[in-house]
Amino acid sequence: VSEPISFSILEIVAVGLKAESKKQVFLALDQIGKEDIKVLFLNNNGSVSEVAFSDIAISYRSGDGLRYGDNEIGISAGGLYTTLEVRVARRSYDMSGAKWQNTIHTYDGTEKIAELTGLPLGVTVKEYISNKATNAGEYKLSCIFEYDSENYNEPTLEEASLVIYKKELELPTGALFTYDKQIKNFKIEDTEY
């Protein structure tokens, strides 16, 4: 018979929380997903255990998602709280659908106007700078955009032109001249040829 050995049962409890980012850079307006971070309980016996994403509450500095310039998010689970440093970059608008319309014309004496169509959600034309012309020639098109400048990079478009071709000259037909050793003249009444 041996003497009784005293022992106590150590309850393993989470005493801390640690968060790790799986991404180098987040984009503005992103919301953190389970593929973006890993959260661990730090237990009183020195062990760690991963926290299920569904058990995590995330708080953003600016409300419901990341904003450009944010540098940390708050994470809580099991009554514990920690912060995670993040780097948030501006998003870029997808301008691939934006096109200048009505850019090719032939001179007829009236003003020609080119306009942008297919702008992405969140981008509007605040002001056209150069999109109108009357005379024959080539004119560079430009405008100023209104957009979320806090969270997005400035939208850009490929260079485009408004082109007004000169009107083709149609020489009068049916004018018959009989040779009489005199010079014959005729006048054309349009100035934009």
Side-chain angles (χ1 to χ4, degrees), residues 79-187:
L80 300 168
Y81 179 83
T82 191
T83 59
L84 176 64
E85 287 188 22
V86 292
R87 184 170 162 234
V88 181
R90 284 188 174 103
R91 288 185 164 278
S92 292
Y93 285 104
D94 178 4
M95 297 294 284
S96 62
K99 305 284 184 242
W100 285 98
Q101 298 294 313
N102 301 317
T103 59
I104 307 293
H105 300 275
T106 299
Y107 173 81
D108 65 4
T110 63
E111 183 176 65
K112 307 301 178 198
I113 300 172
E115 294 182 313
L116 271 173
T117 60
L119 293 172
L121 187 62
V123 178
T124 58
V125 175
K126 181 177 182 178
E127 177 184 357
Y128 286 105
I129 302 297
S130 174
N131 75 322
K132 300 176 185 179
T134 302
N135 296 325
E138 185 172 341
Y139 305 89
K140 298 293 178 210
L141 294 168
S142 65
C143 64
I144 296 172
F145 290 114
E146 196 165 87
Y147 63 99
D148 177 358
S149 58
E150 178 186 348
N151 294 301
Y152 283 84
N153 294 311
E154 182 177 359
T156 58
L157 287 172
E158 289 184 25
E159 195 172 277
S161 297
L162 171 63
V163 177
I164 303 175
Y165 290 111
K166 293 181 178 184
K167 185 175 182 180
E168 286 190 28
L169 174 63
E170 291 184 28
L171 294 176
T173 58
L176 298 174
F177 297 101
T178 304
Y179 178 69
D180 62 1
K181 297 183 184 177
Q182 300 292 318
I183 297 174
K184 306 293 182 196
N185 293 318
F186 60 92
K187 187 175 180 183

